[in-house]
Amino acid sequence: MAKVRAVIVGGGFGGLRAAEELARHGCSVTLIDRNAYSTFQPLLYQVATGGLNPGDITYSLRSFTGRFRRTMRFRRATVTGIDTGQRRVITDVGDPIPYDYLVLAAGVGANYFGIPGAAEHARAIYTRAEALEVRDLVFGRIEALTVADPGSSVSMVVVGGGATGVEMAGALAEMKQQGLPIAYPEIAPDRVRIILVEMGPQLLAPFRRRLRNYTLKQVQKRGVDVRLNTGIEAVHADSVTLSDGTTEQADVVIWGAGIGGHSEVADWGLVQGAGGRLVVDDDLRASGQDRIFAVGDCAITPENPLPQVAQPAIQMGLHAARMILALEAGETTRPFAYADRGSMATIGRSAAVVELPVGPNLTGFPAWLAWVVLHLAYLLGGRNRIAAMVNLGFRYLMYPRSANAIIGDLDRDLPQLER
Amino acid sequence: MAKVRAVIVGGGFGGLRAAEELARHGCSVTLIDRNAYSTFQPLLYQVATGGLNPGDITYSLRSFTGRFRRTMRFRRATVTGIDTGQRRVITDVGDPIPYDYLVLAAGVGANYFGIPGAAEHARAIYTRAEALEVRDLVFGRIEALTVADPGSSVSMVVVGGGATGVEMAGALAEMKQQGLPIAYPEIAPDRVRIILVEMGPQLLAPFRRRLRNYTLKQVQKRGVDVRLNTGIEAVHADSVTLSDGTTEQADVVIWGAGIGGHSEVADWGLVQGAGGRLVVDDDLRASGQDRIFAVGDCAITPENPLPQVAQPAIQMGLHAARMILALEAGETTRPFAYADRGSMATIGRSAAVVELPVGPNLTGFPAWLAWVVLHLAYLLGGRNRIAAMVNLGFRYLMYPRSANAIIGDLDRDLPQLER
């Protein structure tokens, strides 16, 4: 019997789990990604705030496929179409790639919901490039304060009170409270403002009430101006209009408010649902397809929408791989069932929340420690794990004294702030 | 007595040493740099070959000035002029900065000696941005081979057989020999060529004969095509013309052949010598100036030109600071005398050369170990030291198995190689 040819689109949590499982069971796997690296998205906010290097949270996909040399190949490419008739994936480089089964794990980007100016002026942190842009913009704006009028200020608006928004606002607040007085003694701390805007009545809505309350208190204690029950009407070059009619200065707008499928997905000829994501049946096959699966953030499951974090993607990737092996063995597919292993979010140094399906909630230092262990020891591997530990360890232990933030070539054309 | 106001231009080895010495002796110091970070230039070639993160070898200048909070300030700016009459430094942002003494430690960039096409097509690795560009170009070209005709190849030409060229060619050769077969099993290793071009008859010309011979043998053993007694006539988009009349394919040209002062220096109204560098008297004062010193690579001393490495810059920075303190104490200046502490260059894993003023030469593993200890333990500090050790340690121990090179967003518009 000829080897089963599986093609995986996207080298994130879901794609890599599917690729590994299929390669281990003798399939011939081609992994496609637009980048030559996998990004550890849960720590991108650390890159965006200068705590980690981009290389600390990216992992060479060729190093991954090199572990399965006899069965796996990598192609760096963007998928431009799917020829379901001839079962071929068409990419922007090289010949079309034939498949017996296809696993789409393409991830998502920001969804601006058509809010005026948002796509133009707000910045997401779903990719390495976006995180670096936010980082150098944030530090560039603060840097510009040093030669601006002493009455001027910088305002950073984080949109969305989910994990992304809370972690980003928390990290910015820590920088303001601890790093700023050392690195920028000439800037009065109240010249840097951090606003967290959330449309609903609470932060981290999916968490239990005690954890939500703890989070709100911790974020506020760190100096973040939290605006609940507040939407964004419009984003302008240097301000935002809020749903209560007020306008706030906004030199950097970080968007953690919604996700949507990548625009290329529209060219793949599959059924798309809300936000352009791919509609899947309960066995994770793309609607109406018998050999195409979609997993992770790019898929919308028929039941309750799953959280857009690592665990569901990993479990979905594994399920898709197993269903492919089942189909090849002449069996039928089974529905996917998400096993909730709990959720966590970090607010800052020694402050985090952990919610487990059974057992007690965790907050504060124990939660923070659990977050560190899970992210650094379990999820990251090899060089990345140790390098990230070193950098975060220094940030934790030395921040007030060293403030040696990782920064890039700050935009030299930033306007001098005159407000 | 009012505090002496010293302004330091450039946060490299020389500038930081001068700034520290002056701050320690009670001067009020303003440090100016176009970037918000100091770059550890001796390891830039590691960034250019994916072994280190940019943040591993850059250090926040605000973290540095934060250590001298009462006496030192930082301004991120480019110096656009010097008003020697009113003793003010004019920058592209903010008000002019008054000085009693000025230390210019602005460093240098590449000098292409007017060779046709060199400025346009060759790339230097003197800055973080340049190193990142070379890195992503090198990996992008190799990546493109995977979807190109199997008869096609990639050729990287390193120009200059000094330490920069030898270290870069050695690191590229190591990647080709060890990383390539794992990460790119579909690419036959002989499709990647590395050529090192040197105008003179030997590599590492300033070193002793035994070390030069060792270096040549090691570099060749690693598969580098070394062309001695060969100059560059012209650089084209995908080839170089050599002085022997031949043309070689050259998809990436890395320039380590010469340095020159930054173009802005011409606007400073000071006496410039060869390559636009600043001519200094034997006490390191800029020619004809009584309150302006120039140190490090940007200065040309009247005696033998000094090597463009860390030690001379550090010693010159310290000397300039001491002369400023002497002048303020009513004393006269003394001539600068360089104390040679030896030279070193690394060729690759376990291969390096060390030449000491007295005592034996070192080669091989002992020399490599000395290089590691000096660079990582002595020269780099804090977070950078440990993070760099982790990344280089993994590269050393794990390269063949993991090949997890640090790469960025490879140029998506690279032409498919059809040669």
Side-chain angles (χ1 to χ4, degrees), chain B residues 63-406:
Chain B
S63 177
F64 174 80
T65 56
R67 285 163 47 202
F68 306 91
R69 251 189 289 180
R70 277 176 302 185
T71 50
M72 214 187 283
R73 282 292 179 270
F74 174 71
R75 180 186 290 189
R76 186 177 65 93
T78 298
V79 172
T80 54
I82 300 169
D83 178 350
T84 50
Q86 294 199 57
R87 290 190 205 146
R88 301 188 312 171
V89 176
I90 300 144
T91 70
D92 59 346
V93 290
D95 297 326
I97 306 169
Y99 66 84
D100 297 313
Y101 295 94
L102 180 56
V103 179
L104 301 172
V108 286
N111 188 343
Y112 297 106
F113 304 110
I115 292 169
E120 190 185 348
H121 301 298
R123 281 137 212 284
I125 46 171
Y126 294 119
T127 69
R128 168 196 162 115
E130 287 170 347
L132 290 173
E133 204 178 306
V134 166
R135 177 190 76 177
D136 292 340
L137 193 62
V138 164
F139 283 97
R141 292 291 182 179
I142 292 176
E143 189 68 44
L145 272 189
T146 60
V147 288
D149 181 83
S152 65
S153 64
V154 155
S155 168
M156 292 175 260
V157 175
V158 180
V159 181
T164 303
V166 165
E167 292 184 329
M168 188 69 200
L172 288 173
E174 210 149 70
M175 182 183 72
K176 172 187 166 173
Q177 284 197 321
Q178 304 188 345
L180 200 72
I182 307 292
Y184 295 89
E186 62 268 62
I187 300 179
D190 62 5
R191 292 176 68 195
V192 176
R193 293 172 62 213
I194 300 152
I195 304 174
L196 177 58
V197 179
E198 163 59 37
M199 207 155 66
Q202 54 215 345
L203 299 181
L204 298 185
F207 283 73
R208 294 187 192 124
R209 192 160 65 97
R210 195 173 77 77
L211 300 180
R212 297 195 305 257
N213 292 344
Y214 170 84
T215 300
L216 178 61
K217 208 178 293 174
Q218 285 291 324
V219 169
Q220 286 176 328
K221 192 179 123 189
R222 285 166 160 75
V224 176
D225 180 356
V226 180
R227 310 285 179 92
L228 299 174
N229 299 305
T230 305
I232 300 281
E233 294 291 318
V235 183
H236 316 287
D238 52 8
S239 67
V240 288
T241 306
L242 303 178
S243 58
D244 59 12
T246 60
T247 293
E248 289 287 343
Q249 178 187 338
D251 302 288
V252 186
V253 179
I254 296 137
W255 200 260
I259 60 167
H262 294 298
S263 56
E264 302 93 80
V265 174
D267 302 326
W268 295 355
L270 302 172
V271 180
Q272 292 180 279
R277 294 159 74 199
L278 297 168
V279 177
V280 296
D281 296 330
D282 63 1
D283 62 357
L284 301 183
R285 278 192 281 197
S287 181
Q289 299 293 330
D290 56 352
R291 290 171 176 271
I292 303 179
F293 292 78
V295 305
D297 290 353
C298 78
I300 312 183
T301 47
E303 36 160 7
N304 296 329
L306 295 170
Q308 283 100 34
V309 293
Q311 263 302 320
I314 292 169
Q315 293 182 26
M316 289 165 93
L318 180 60
H319 184 82
R322 286 186 174 157
M323 292 310 97
I324 288 169
L325 297 170
L327 288 169
E328 274 302 294
E331 299 164 17
T332 55
T333 61
R334 296 182 303 278
F336 171 70
Y338 174 53
D340 186 5
R341 303 253 172 93
S343 318
M344 46 174 52
T346 185
I347 301 150
R349 235 166 110 96
S350 306
V353 291
V354 174
E355 177 172 312
L356 300 170
V358 286
N361 302 323
L362 297 179
T363 58
F365 184 75
W368 182 82
L369 198 66
W371 177 87
V372 167
V373 169
L374 187 82
H375 283 80
L376 297 191
Y378 174 67
L379 289 175
L380 276 171
R383 173 174 68 65
N384 301 75
R385 178 193 301 159
I386 303 177
M389 273 184 183
V390 167
N391 285 319
L392 286 183
F394 261 85
R395 196 178 206 191
Y396 182 76
L397 297 171
M398 307 285 286
Y399 207 105
R401 262 190 295 158
S402 101
N404 183 10
I406 297 164

Side-chain angles (χ1 to χ4, degrees), chain A residues 37-205:
Chain A
Y37 54 82
S38 180
T39 305
F40 190 79
Q41 288 183 317
L43 288 176
L44 271 175
Y45 81 96
Q46 284 284 350
V47 172
T49 51
L52 287 178
N53 274 294
D56 295 338
I57 59 141
T58 52
Y59 184 80
S60 163
L61 284 172
R62 291 196 165 272
S63 178
F64 174 80
T65 56
R67 284 164 45 201
F68 306 91
R69 250 190 290 181
R70 277 175 303 183
T71 50
M72 212 188 284
R73 283 291 178 270
F74 174 70
R75 181 187 290 188
R76 185 176 65 94
T78 298
V79 172
T80 53
I82 299 170
D83 179 351
T84 51
Q86 295 198 56
R87 291 190 205 145
R88 299 187 314 171
V89 176
I90 300 146
T91 70
D92 59 345
V93 291
D95 297 326
I97 304 169
Y99 67 83
D100 297 314
Y101 295 94
L102 179 57
V103 179
L104 302 172
V108 286
N111 189 344
Y112 297 107
F113 305 109
I115 292 169
E120 191 186 347
H121 300 297
R123 280 138 213 283
I125 47 172
Y126 295 119
T127 68
R128 167 196 163 116
E130 286 170 349
L132 290 173
E133 204 178 304
V134 166
R135 176 190 77 178
D136 292 340
L137 193 62
V138 164
F139 283 97
R141 291 291 182 181
I142 292 175
E143 189 67 46
L145 272 189
T146 60
V147 287
D149 181 84
S152 65
S153 65
V154 155
S155 167
M156 290 176 264
V157 175
V158 180
V159 182
T164 303
V166 165
E167 292 185 327
M168 188 70 200
L172 288 173
E174 209 149 70
M175 183 183 72
K176 172 186 168 174
Q177 284 197 320
Q178 304 188 345
L180 201 73
I182 307 290
Y184 296 89
E186 62 267 61
I187 300 179
D190 62 4
R191 294 175 66 194
V192 176
R193 292 173 61 214
I194 301 153
I195 305 173
L196 177 58
V197 180
E198 162 58 38
M199 207 155 66
Q202 53 216 346
L203 300 181
L204 297 184

Side-chain angles (χ1 to χ4, degrees), chain A residues 34 37 63 184 402 409 412, chain B residues 34 37 63 402 409 412:
Chain A
R34 66 175 76 204
Y37 54 82
S63 178
Y184 296 89
S402 102
D409 295 323
R412 301 206 51 79
Chain B
R34 67 174 75 201
Y37 54 83
S63 177
S402 101
D409 295 323
R412 300 205 52 80

